[in-house]
Amino acid sequence: MSLKKLTIFDTTLRDGEQGEGISFTVKDKLKITQLLDTLGVHYIEGGWPGSNPKAVDYFKGVQELSLTHAKVAAFGSTRRAGKTVETDLSIQALIHAETPVVVIFGKSWDFHVTHALKIELPENLALIADSVRYLKANNKEVFYDAEHFFDGFKHNPKYALETLSAAQSEGADILCLCDTNGGCLPSEIYDMVTAIKKAFPKTTIGIHTHNDAGMAVANSIAAVDAGATHIQGTLNGYGERCGNANLSTLIPTLVLKMGIDCIPKDKLVHLASVSHRLDEIANVTHNHFLPYVGKSAFAHKGGVHVSAILKHPETYEHVNPELVGNSQRVLISELSGLSNLIHKTKEMGIDIDPKNEKLKTALDEIKSKEHAGYQYEEAEASLELLLRRILFDQKSVFDLISYKVVNAQRDSETCEIESILKLKLGAHVAHIAADGNGPVSALDHALRKALLPHFPEIDSVRLVDYKVRVLNSKDGTNAKVKVLIECKDHEHIWGTIGVSENIIEASWLALADCYEYKLLVLDPSKK
Amino acid sequence: MSLKKLTIFDTTLRDGEQGEGISFTVKDKLKITQLLDTLGVHYIEGGWPGSNPKAVDYFKGVQELSLTHAKVAAFGSTRRAGKTVETDLSIQALIHAETPVVVIFGKSWDFHVTHALKIELPENLALIADSVRYLKANNKEVFYDAEHFFDGFKHNPKYALETLSAAQSEGADILCLCDTNGGCLPSEIYDMVTAIKKAFPKTTIGIHTHNDAGMAVANSIAAVDAGATHIQGTLNGYGERCGNANLSTLIPTLVLKMGIDCIPKDKLVHLASVSHRLDEIANVTHNHFLPYVGKSAFAHKGGVHVSAILKHPETYEHVNPELVGNSQRVLISELSGLSNLIHKTKEMGIDIDPKNEKLKTALDEIKSKEHAGYQYEEAEASLELLLRRILFDQKSVFDLISYKVVNAQRDSETCEIESILKLKLGAHVAHIAADGNGPVSALDHALRKALLPHFPEIDSVRLVDYKVRVLNSKDGTNAKVKVLIECKDHEHIWGTIGVSENIIEASWLALADCYEYKLLVLDPSKK
């Protein structure tokens, strides 16, 4: 394949926010803009100033950012019927957004013109032409989004082409073809983009796809194969219904597999971390199974696979995970054998003879814990504590005698939460009371108070993540829950797990492991 | 496109279980087998009896099921070097599984033969030929899985073809080409399958893809376009790393868009419910954004979209959701305007003049609640209670005076959890104590005890789902949590939400709404 050049247009902040459960504050949007700039995308679509007051604030705020690479774009529709470009508020909002780039969408599908806009077909051509002409006259780089282009082209190819001509003849810089309903297949997209490229050989053709048939990425690639050189998508695939084309999948495929010049290779190594940070900002659960950037994308579980990749990673890895900032992982599970466990002990720096019989005991214990709902894939600190207890009879630093948590709520205002913790620390017994915002924070505060006088090093420990997962949710409030806690100090990040029918007990188990791991594994010299 | 016929082979129970976080009990596997049979798939791969004792139990158990449609297949590898087919335990395990169909995988990529198996290239051909011949002689339907076929064919096409010939000349019923590392692109797959179909014009060619480049579904379709008539995949796309080709996406595309005869149309309406039940059995969170079957797949949020689909669904829906057992949803969110809210009140059967000014107050209240972390998309019962309070000054059935929950844990064994609840019910004050497995179930028990004497109809209410989501997880145990509860009675299912920094308080809010909704909305006559 020849080395082509194409531009990446991210619409996470506009089309992405149409996804269920996605909502950004202006501050979020500015943070994401900076993140996307780090990655080296060419354009960032910030919002629709004509429809959303938040977008107006964003376009003000974004002028304070100094972006190194990306140009910011504002989105809107062609002028309304019955308005002129001067009296159409949406068009005027585009001008006031003061972005170098403006995207306007118009109708390509005759059915939408007559049934949604309820105007005659020629009038729609005038809306498009007038809007593009006016924005070009205002010195904007203008991208024309042909909404429902492919469905329109299937139904009435002549009219669909006329809508593109209306935009192109007024100087639109890009004609972007949209599969708005996301129902097309790659072979169709290839044929239609080929036809459009033939009709407009000198105009840059863009592609904007949705994932309703699971084809958003494949359709974008098919369009590139047919001559498109501008791709619109969202990082992590956020978007209306099933989402937009996922740029975190598309970009590495373009760069690493197709040799296309779009994102510099030295920026590509940020891809996984940018993808994860975006999920964090959006406050949605990271999809572990995402190509390239997902936590599971290079995670090997099958015994056959594990023994092979340890010798030759290319046997079961399609690309080197480091190129996209991800890494290889070996999973310990019920399906995995001793060889995975031995590999894991090596990863952890645990020095043990692979023939030691206690490894078998440890594997059995792991399997029985997993049967009870434990899962160590995200809680390797708890796994390591378990292994050290079994393999080396490692003793705990502290042992629980008892705890009590009292949560007293009076009407919806006043709430008092107290914990009382009794802990054995060697020869000493600590008996501590503390309060908190909730039962778990009250326990955490008591545990810290108990440990600090003896182990000042735990002062640097911070809980950075707390996750709760109901295991057998059909049992309602009697369900078993799994709590995952992530901690950090100045140098390390580690994860622990607790499982119980009682959420407080599950949280306690994970909390206790957090501090045990800090004291036994990270700072062992002091014990 | 011509009306082709092809067979669907589901490997959820074998390759699917290689996915991170996926683990089935034998009972789970039998349940899933029955589910897949309901859907009308042709083959169900049950496991690898030579590598996993659970698979052996499964193959015993599955003989008790009476399947109406699907044939069960056992999976294994070609005989090992140094073993004969009679002495190879894995091959013998395939015979003992007593399934009508056997799948064996062998190496197609010369690099794997010399570097993973560490044998000469011709010896690998003998392993393949011997294994197929032996299984055919034992009256099995034999599918040959050519592992890493496409990568092998790219590196050494002559040798890759020889491995297929070795299987085909001994009578393999299907040659299934595997993109084991999941890194191929659709155009490559199309070209290679075309070449193979030319070399083996009379043999059924199968396709088995992985999703490491986000192309598993597109690659399967490309193979079908090139002549493959057997598709291997997993329902919901479970599988090693990024997963296998997702059959819940592939099947409706084949049937509804390509007119291919594979699953009867009257079975297709079960697709969404089978997909959701599989997630429940596997105990993994349903991916809302899955094409066709996801909860968001036909969910409309943008104001422009909503007003259009209410008139003409085809304007923003690529297929009719009812064909796959899904349904259209209109979302209420910060981005949505009054028109979405008015549509929602109609859906709920709330009779209100669209011009009533209180609707604006309600929309503002919803937006401010969403700002605080509430999300009503999965908790429409809480939304309806909120709307009724604002629009009609609806009073609650009960009001909280106070509650207290005491959770006392002694060592790891003994735990005592008690709740004390004080509730105003009209003129009456109930003061109730109860215990439970955890703080939330203790509160639930107290609330039921308080309500039952006055409202015996709540006896039929069951909590069927309880989910906890941490909203700002970076704040550790001080994080705000969102609790979602799903309830049912004999006729209805409804969902409620509570948000607080204290998980007990968040659970209380959701619990209270559950019973309020039953009493105020479902059984209002009695109030």
Side-chain angles (χ1 to χ4, degrees), chain A residues 444-508:
Chain A
D444 179 36
H445 295 164
L447 183 53
R448 290 182 78 96
K449 264 170 92 173
L451 294 175
L452 256 175
H454 304 269
F455 308 107
E457 65 267 38
I458 67 144
D459 197 33
S460 65
V461 176
R462 291 283 169 277
L463 307 189
V464 287
D465 201 352
Y466 171 75
K467 283 186 201 152
V468 180
R469 173 79 199 285
V470 175
L471 292 176
N472 41 347
S473 56
K474 0 185 206 309
D475 296 336
T477 54
N478 285 324
K480 214 179 227 189
V481 296
K482 174 174 88 179
V483 167
L484 291 167
I485 289 181
E486 203 174 81
C487 280
K488 63 167 190 180
D489 60 12
H490 299 314
E491 288 164 81
H492 309 89
I493 294 184
W494 62 102
T496 62
I497 185 170
V499 173
S500 166
E501 279 171 355
N502 177 352
I503 193 165
I504 297 181
E505 172 68 1
S507 304
W508 164 261

Side-chain angles (χ1 to χ4, degrees), chain B residues 515-527:
Chain B
Y515 293 101
E516 282 280 354
Y517 186 79
K518 167 70 177 169
L519 295 171
L520 281 177
V521 180
L522 298 177
D523 284 337
S525 58
K526 295 173 187 160
K527 263 33 5 95

Side-chain angles (χ1 to χ4, degrees), chain A residues 20 147-148 283 296 469 471, chain B residues 20 283 296 316 469 471:
Chain A
E20 183 166 5
E147 199 197 15
H148 288 109
N283 194 23
S296 304
R469 173 79 199 285
L471 292 176
Chain B
E20 182 166 6
N283 194 22
S296 305
Y316 290 95
R469 174 79 200 286
L471 291 177

Side-chain angles (χ1 to χ4, degrees), chain A residues 10-18 22-34 36 44-48 52 54-55 58-59 62 65 72-73 75 233-235 238 278 281, chain B residues 335:
Chain A
D10 182 283
T11 177
T12 303
L13 301 180
R14 202 270 306 167
D15 227 7
E17 203 180 11
Q18 301 283 87
I22 304 290
S23 173
F24 300 123
T25 63
V26 173
K27 222 171 119 192
D28 290 341
K29 291 177 79 161
L30 293 171
K31 252 195 249 171
I32 293 168
T33 303
Q34 213 124 33
L36 290 168
I44 297 170
E45 189 170 62
W48 187 346
N52 187 340
K54 211 166 57 182
Y58 166 81
F59 288 115
V62 83
L65 301 183
V72 173
F75 176 87
T234 62
L235 208 74
Y238 299 166
L278 175 62
I281 295 171
Chain B
L335 290 185

Side-chain angles (χ1 to χ4, degrees), chain B residues 298-417:
Chain B
F298 301 93
H300 303 277
K301 184 164 165 183
V304 174
H305 292 205
V306 171
S307 60
I309 54 138
L310 296 180
K311 292 177 222 147
H312 304 285
E314 66 274 35
T315 51
Y316 290 95
E317 285 178 357
H318 69 127
V319 297
N320 177 349
E322 285 165 22
L323 297 175
V324 292
N326 206 340
S327 55
Q328 186 184 91
R329 291 165 62 227
V330 167
L331 304 180
I332 296 294
S333 85
E334 210 191 341
L335 290 185
S336 66
L338 266 184
S339 69
N340 288 30
L341 183 59
I342 291 165
H343 175 74
K344 192 49 96 184
T345 56
K346 276 189 203 141
E347 251 184 41
M348 288 175 170
I350 294 180
D351 187 23
I352 187 155
D353 178 354
K355 295 206 176 67
N356 190 317
E357 296 237 318
K358 285 187 174 170
L359 281 165
K360 179 76 184 56
T361 315
L363 191 63
D364 290 345
E365 177 68 15
I366 290 168
K367 287 182 179 182
S368 109
K369 285 274 199 180
E370 290 196 333
H371 187 77
Y374 278 77
Q375 222 165 355
Y376 292 104
E377 291 160 1
E378 293 174 73
E380 298 204 340
S382 289
L383 176 63
E384 187 167 344
L385 288 172
L386 181 77
L387 288 175
R388 289 179 183 274
R389 275 173 214 141
I390 295 171
L391 302 178
F392 311 119
D393 297 315
Q394 172 95 58
K395 297 280 166 271
S396 328
V397 177
F398 55 88
D399 293 294
L400 179 69
I401 299 169
S402 68
Y403 66 73
K404 185 183 266 191
V405 183
V406 181
N407 186 111
Q409 181 89 21
R410 179 157 285 276
D411 54 66
S412 61
E413 305 293 308
T414 347
C415 181
E416 210 168 76
I417 303 153

Side-chain angles (χ1 to χ4, degrees), chain A residues 191-213:
Chain A
D191 292 345
M192 288 188 271
V193 174
T194 302
I196 300 314
K197 194 66 206 165
K198 210 169 150 193
F200 301 95
K202 290 189 179 156
T203 309
T204 302
I205 301 297
I207 180 78
H208 173 118
T209 61
H210 282 261
N211 204 34
D212 298 72

